[in-house]
Amino acid sequence: MLRLLASRCARDPKPGVFARPAAGLCHPGHRQIRQASDAPRNQPPSSEFVARPVGVCSMMRLPVQTYPEGLDAAFIGVPLDTGTSNRPGARFGPRRIREESVMLRTVNPSTGALPFQSLMVADLGDVNVNLYNLQDSCRRIQEAYEKIVAAGCIPLTLGGDHTITYPILQAMAKKHGPVGLLHVDAHTDTADKALGEKLYHGTPFRRCVEEGLLDCKRVVQIGIRGSSMTLDPYRYNRSQGFRVVLAEDCWMKSLVPLMGEVRQQMGGKPIYISFDIDALDPAYAPGTGTPEIAGLTPSQALEIIRGCQGLNVVGCDLVEVSPPYDLSGNTALLAANLLFEMLCALPKVTTV
């Protein structure tokens, strides 16, 4: 059963609030644009007409709905941090990212992308996770995403710790078969177990390999760094066919050439993007659970995501934002912007 929590504006037919949020709006400034079929598309409101603090706290102040049918893409929160190994707090990530997303607008002048003129997009609320049982949470996430993907909707996920990518990829592989993976992170997340447990935020991609969810020759990990317990911590990854790009190989340079190589490697087959905010240096993104020094810069993050334009992206996530360690809100603001960039990189988004 798809258990997605929606805002009150999606449920209550009150004056000024439409009961059908897919085509409705949560405040009077919410605009819609027409598509070829003459059906309306959702579009974030302009601050010229609606003050940014006004309205329900949804991603980009988009309408919130409880069903994926009719959507081309949707933002979904997975507020789970039961799988964290160090600092907790990522369960609050989706809410904080939504709050900071009020600064986002409708078009991307840097890339020419027009996502809201190209796609029907909404906020599907949060998956109803079980904070007391990680296995049950993974089951709930997988079931929710199977319904989202079956409806033809591309999910853009607000995490949550990195454990959530494992059940999401289970759902992806059920529809698409083994997918390519662009994994941006400080850590490879391919450990086998910790404290006897095989499921936590350090193991999702090993579990994915074991279940055949990944096309391992099309897996690229970027931004990897940090101390280790062995001198060859990436042996497992490379033995599976992963390309591991260390952070130190990215220092002081543009990643545009690297992404040209990644596009060639990925080809036209389905690819999933998983972006851990700790890939970025903690000077830019301090609000995370397992920070590592000397990471990527925000401009490099943009180059990575924009370099995915033209690929067959079937889903994305942005994980490990921990608001208790993000006193300024800048980590969540950065995360919201990266999710917008992911939306702009989706197939079928018109660019001018």
Side-chain angles (χ1 to χ4, degrees), residues 135-157:
Q135 294 280 357
D136 185 51
S137 285
C138 286
R139 177 189 61 80
R140 292 170 180 235
I141 295 166
Q142 180 182 353
E143 291 178 357
Y145 277 76
E146 284 177 356
K147 299 220 171 183
I148 293 167
V149 173
C153 177
I154 297 177
L156 299 105
T157 302

Side-chain angles (χ1 to χ4, degrees), residues 173-187:
K174 185 172 182 179
K175 177 172 183 177
H176 301 287
V179 296
L181 174 69
L182 177 62
H183 174 208
V184 189
D185 202 324
H187 313 96

